[in-house]
Amino acid sequence: MAASFLPLPLLLLLLLLLLPAQALNQDGLHLLDAKRALTVPAPALADWNPRDATPCNWTGVACHDHDGAVTAISLPRLNLAGSFPAALCRIPGLRSIDLSDNYIGPDLDVARCRALQRLDLSINALVGPLPDALADLPDLIYLNLQSNNFSGPIPESFARFAKLQSLSLVYNLLDGKVPPFLGRVATLRELNLSYNPFAPGPVPPQLGDLSALRVLWLAGCNLVGTIPPSLGRLTNLTDLDLSTNALTGPIPPEITGLTSAVQIELYNNSLTGPIPTGFGNLQDLRGIDFAMNRLHGAIPEDLFHAPRLETLHLYANALTGPVPESVAKAPSLLELRLFANSLNGTLPADLGRNTPLVCLDISDNAISGEIPPGICDRGELEELLMLDNRLSGRIPDALGRCRRLRRVRLSNNRLAGDVPDAVWGLPHMSLLELNDNHLTGQISPVIAGAANLSKLVLSNNRLTGAIPSEIGSVSKLYELSAGGNMLSGPLPSSLGGLAELGRLVLRNNSLSGQLLRGIESWKKLSELNLADNGFTGSIPPELGDLPVLNYLDLSGNELSGEVPVQLENLKLNQFNVSNNQLRGPLPPQYATEAYRSSFLGNPELCGEIAGLCGGDPQSKKNYHPGFAWMMRSIFIFAAAILVAGVAWFYWRYRTFNRSKLRADRSKWTLTSFHKLSFSEYEILDCLDEDNVIGSGASGKVYKAVLSNGEVVAVKKLWSVAAVENGGGEGSAADDSFEAEVRTLGKIRHKNIVKLWCCCAHKECKLLVYEYMPNGSLGDVLHSSKAGLLDWGTRYKIALDAAEGLSYLHHDCVPAIVHRDVKSNNILLDAELSARVADFGVAKVVEAKSMSVIAGSCGYIAPEYAYTLRVNEKSDTYSFGVVLLELVTGKPPVDPEFGEKDLVKWVCSTLEQKGVEHVLDSRLDMSCFKEEMVRVLNIGLQCASSLPINRPAMRRVVKMLQEVRGEGRPRVDKDGKLSPYYCEDASDQGSSV
Ligand SMILES: *[C@@H]1O[C@H](CO)[C@@H](O)[C@H](O)[C@H]1NC(C)=O
Ligand SMILES: *[C@@H]1O[C@H](CO)[C@@H](O)[C@H](O)[C@H]1NC(C)=O
């Protein structure tokens, strides 16, 4: 009996012991499946423990309070990679998924996520068309897919959303038009479609039916036509953004019916007509931006009645009439930017008394009268920009009490009287520009208090007196321009201690005394212009030691003595010591005809330059006239022969080349990747040696202007392979070329140069690209045009190029390694936006000729020397070098660096001299130093000698965005962000 009774409970007990204490529930198992389907870099999700009973305590998981069912997953910014884990959709109660800012992609399958209410997949790597299945999720309220690479049109299924309140598709690659059918999603409160490459199309009037809409963002959507008045019906709308499109016609008065509006942005369109009245009634309106249009007529008086209006941007229009009196009563106005219009009349006399203005910019108008005396009565003013107007009277004394002022630009007016003393010494002022007025008085010694002053421009006024020695305390001074005044006395010796000084222009004054000697601190001085004063004594030899001086004008003084031979150390673009009393021999380097005008008007200065000495005809006596005539004839004859020879050769070469290309047109094969509006034959006709715009390792580039006016760039690849391979292998090589080029042709990204098509004929291959009018970054940056590239532009170029490369590495399947990243392969369009060019072409070429080494000198990653293999991280290295070029303005290799390349030069200079000696001195250091230092550091990290230490391009993009983004880490006060990502200086072994 007992024997048959006992075993059953024992068996049960045994079973219980064998089973895990509590098995993980089904939701938890689905989560683990999802985790397995993703690449999850440690330590993310380390606490997802399979031995837990429920997943409710796991990172990013939320459960229902009562039944413990999983309701929400939130895993942003964990570097998760892989397609969307469909296993999540098997969790029946899952209502919210946030996987934003990861590398989710390429696929998105959510068809089974039936309970989903919120889906956030912004900033990921999703590609292809938007899935129809999204619209069939019955409870979906919130859908955020911004910053992916979705392409194609917005599917018609998107009209079906039943409950959707918020839709964001910002920053994708969507084409087609902004669809009218979205007007049927009546539940929508937020619709954000900005910055997609849509085809030109109108703002659908049907969007006016979305009565619940609060936010409508259609910036950068290629919109054309007029703004539909129906939008004025959106009485719940708080944010309307139609900026950066090509909208025309007037602003419909109906828009003033947006009674809930907080922000209305219509800037950067082609809108015309007057600004309608009625905006003043909008009780919540804080910001209006209608800048960069063609609006005309007067600024409506009632605009400033809007009680909460804080910012008003109407700059770059054709507005006329005066600034309305009502502005002086605007209770909340902080920022008023009206520059570049045709405004006239005077400013309201009490402007600033009742208004907490922080920034006022009325530059480039025809405004007259005085600067309102109470402009800074509320003490908040930081920027006062009024240049290029007709303002008269004095600079108000009260400005001297305006302690927060940072930028004051009053140049090109008719201001007169003395500059109020206290204005010189304002502690936060970084830019004080008063040139081209009628100002009198002296530069006050209180300037010693201007601790942040970087640019002081006083040229063409009537300032008198001596430059005070207190100027030596303005330690951040970069530019002092005070030419065309009546300044007198000697240069204060303290001026020589200003280590930041880059430009010193005091030409055309009455300064006297000797030139400064103790000037070792002038390490950044690039321009020194002391022309037309009364300086005496000799030219200090120390000038020859200034490392970056390239503009030196000491003409029109009373300088004596010899031209110091030390000046031969300088690389001068402008050199003028004419009209002094210099004497003696010229330094040999300058004793050439090219410098003749540099030395004129010094009667006792002698040199090899014919006729220089005192302009005295006697000095030509060394030449026998007959001898000179003979020499001249021989020279002319030789030159004529040379010209004829070159012309003949050129003609032969051209005819030969053209006829070869045109021969047998029928044998050309054309592979096109876009709809083309030209034929391959037309391209062939343009391959004229006159049209060559560049030549590189892989081929020659032509600019071709087609009959329809379109311009393309044609790259003719060098035909190494055909010769080497012989006939037999030719077709196999051709196939691989075709396959490769086909991959390249499929690529669509705003930061990658479009490959229109490819033509091939035997050994000749042509790649036809979109034409980029501003040429390459390398050409612009390392030429005299570098001035075009201010820091903002350079930063944007860095980000654009990084995004292009990131797309090649992370969003293309298979990934594409560029192999030849360099500033010459980053092209600039008309707006100076950057696009990556020539990607993968190195590979196309290399496949046929293994002897071609990919990469360019100065950009080649160190590992290439020992592995001869390149991968994405090699591109990252090269991109790091490009970042360093942008920050330093220096080329990747330069005689200045000696044996070093740019990376090593940056590291050693950082270590020995500090960051100021690395950054490009042409950039505005006062505002952007912090950003430049941060980009420098990213560049160094990219150029790490070990590939594993280099960030992926995806990461580089984010790091660059963070440079300007919010919440960026701060650098120390002195601009240091330590440690710099430099490797041990002794680590030199791996250099190529
Ligand atoms: C979650 O963790 C807390 C403390 O860490 C613990 O008290 C609780 O029992 C855990 N809950 C579950 C469901 O595991
Ligand atoms: C507009 O907003 C108000 C207040 O938030 C709300 O009560 C009303 O339902 C909204 N109108 C529509 C059509 O959604």
PDB file of all heavy atoms in Angstrom, residues 444-455:
ATOM      1  N   SER A 444      39.942 106.101 -26.551  1.00  0.00           N
ATOM      2  CA  SER A 444      40.100 106.366 -25.116  1.00  0.00           C
ATOM      3  C   SER A 444      40.928 105.306 -24.418  1.00  0.00           C
ATOM      4  O   SER A 444      40.851 104.123 -24.754  1.00  0.00           O
ATOM      5  CB  SER A 444      38.714 106.414 -24.473  1.00  0.00           C
ATOM      6  OG  SER A 444      38.826 106.338 -23.088  1.00  0.00           O
ATOM      7  N   PRO A 445      41.700 105.706 -23.418  1.00  0.00           N
ATOM      8  CA  PRO A 445      42.455 104.725 -22.623  1.00  0.00           C
ATOM      9  C   PRO A 445      41.541 103.715 -21.914  1.00  0.00           C
ATOM     10  O   PRO A 445      42.015 102.648 -21.542  1.00  0.00           O
ATOM     11  CB  PRO A 445      43.191 105.581 -21.594  1.00  0.00           C
ATOM     12  CG  PRO A 445      43.154 106.969 -22.123  1.00  0.00           C
ATOM     13  CD  PRO A 445      41.961 107.093 -23.009  1.00  0.00           C
ATOM     14  N   VAL A 446      40.250 104.004 -21.770  1.00  0.00           N
ATOM     15  CA  VAL A 446      39.386 103.021 -21.100  1.00  0.00           C
ATOM     16  C   VAL A 446      39.267 101.747 -21.931  1.00  0.00           C
ATOM     17  O   VAL A 446      38.747 100.745 -21.467  1.00  0.00           O
ATOM     18  CB  VAL A 446      37.958 103.551 -20.789  1.00  0.00           C
ATOM     19  CG1 VAL A 446      37.988 104.856 -20.044  1.00  0.00           C
ATOM     20  CG2 VAL A 446      37.110 103.658 -22.029  1.00  0.00           C
ATOM     21  N   ILE A 447      39.838 101.762 -23.127  1.00  0.00           N
ATOM     22  CA  ILE A 447      39.827 100.561 -23.959  1.00  0.00           C
ATOM     23  C   ILE A 447      40.500  99.393 -23.239  1.00  0.00           C
ATOM     24  O   ILE A 447      40.292  98.228 -23.581  1.00  0.00           O
ATOM     25  CB  ILE A 447      40.498 100.852 -25.326  1.00  0.00           C
ATOM     26  CG1 ILE A 447      40.045  99.826 -26.357  1.00  0.00           C
ATOM     27  CG2 ILE A 447      41.997 100.904 -25.208  1.00  0.00           C
ATOM     28  CD1 ILE A 447      40.365 100.162 -27.774  1.00  0.00           C
ATOM     29  N   ALA A 448      41.292  99.710 -22.242  1.00  0.00           N
ATOM     30  CA  ALA A 448      41.934  98.654 -21.443  1.00  0.00           C
ATOM     31  C   ALA A 448      40.915  97.673 -20.885  1.00  0.00           C
ATOM     32  O   ALA A 448      41.225  96.511 -20.622  1.00  0.00           O
ATOM     33  CB  ALA A 448      42.737  99.278 -20.302  1.00  0.00           C
ATOM     34  N   GLY A 449      39.666  98.121 -20.709  1.00  0.00           N
ATOM     35  CA  GLY A 449      38.657  97.231 -20.144  1.00  0.00           C
ATOM     36  C   GLY A 449      37.991  96.321 -21.163  1.00  0.00           C
ATOM     37  O   GLY A 449      37.190  95.458 -20.808  1.00  0.00           O
ATOM     38  N   ALA A 450      38.339  96.483 -22.447  1.00  0.00           N
ATOM     39  CA  ALA A 450      37.650  95.711 -23.486  1.00  0.00           C
ATOM     40  C   ALA A 450      38.256  94.325 -23.602  1.00  0.00           C
ATOM     41  O   ALA A 450      38.901  93.974 -24.584  1.00  0.00           O
ATOM     42  CB  ALA A 450      37.716  96.453 -24.819  1.00  0.00           C
ATOM     43  N   ALA A 451      38.013  93.519 -22.594  1.00  0.00           N
ATOM     44  CA  ALA A 451      38.717  92.245 -22.476  1.00  0.00           C
ATOM     45  C   ALA A 451      38.373  91.267 -23.591  1.00  0.00           C
ATOM     46  O   ALA A 451      39.103  90.311 -23.809  1.00  0.00           O
ATOM     47  CB  ALA A 451      38.406  91.620 -21.120  1.00  0.00           C
ATOM     48  N   ASN A 452      37.265  91.470 -24.264  1.00  0.00           N
ATOM     49  CA  ASN A 452      36.869  90.520 -25.303  1.00  0.00           C
ATOM     50  C   ASN A 452      36.949  91.075 -26.709  1.00  0.00           C
ATOM     51  O   ASN A 452      36.537  90.411 -27.655  1.00  0.00           O
ATOM     52  CB  ASN A 452      35.445  90.037 -25.044  1.00  0.00           C
ATOM     53  CG  ASN A 452      35.423  89.030 -23.922  1.00  0.00           C
ATOM     54  OD1 ASN A 452      35.986  87.945 -24.057  1.00  0.00           O
ATOM     55  ND2 ASN A 452      34.832  89.401 -22.801  1.00  0.00           N
ATOM     56  N   LEU A 453      37.481  92.267 -26.832  1.00  0.00           N
ATOM     57  CA  LEU A 453      37.475  92.913 -28.140  1.00  0.00           C
ATOM     58  C   LEU A 453      38.399  92.195 -29.111  1.00  0.00           C
ATOM     59  O   LEU A 453      39.576  92.006 -28.837  1.00  0.00           O
ATOM     60  CB  LEU A 453      37.900  94.374 -28.007  1.00  0.00           C
ATOM     61  CG  LEU A 453      37.663  95.243 -29.237  1.00  0.00           C
ATOM     62  CD1 LEU A 453      36.199  95.280 -29.590  1.00  0.00           C
ATOM     63  CD2 LEU A 453      38.181  96.655 -28.995  1.00  0.00           C
ATOM     64  N   SER A 454      37.841  91.773 -30.226  1.00  0.00           N
ATOM     65  CA  SER A 454      38.621  91.037 -31.198  1.00  0.00           C
ATOM     66  C   SER A 454      38.809  91.845 -32.484  1.00  0.00           C
ATOM     67  O   SER A 454      39.846  91.787 -33.115  1.00  0.00           O
ATOM     68  CB  SER A 454      37.915  89.719 -31.473  1.00  0.00           C
ATOM     69  OG  SER A 454      38.365  89.135 -32.637  1.00  0.00           O
ATOM     70  N   LYS A 455      37.785  92.586 -32.848  1.00  0.00           N
ATOM     71  CA  LYS A 455      37.881  93.356 -34.084  1.00  0.00           C
ATOM     72  C   LYS A 455      37.506  94.800 -33.811  1.00  0.00           C
ATOM     73  O   LYS A 455      36.409  95.062 -33.321  1.00  0.00           O
ATOM     74  CB  LYS A 455      36.889  92.770 -35.093  1.00  0.00           C
ATOM     75  CG  LYS A 455      37.490  92.426 -36.421  1.00  0.00           C
ATOM     76  CD  LYS A 455      36.493  91.728 -37.312  1.00  0.00           C
ATOM     77  CE  LYS A 455      36.666  92.254 -38.716  1.00  0.00           C
ATOM     78  NZ  LYS A 455      35.815  91.539 -39.673  1.00  0.00           N
TER      79      LYS A 455
END
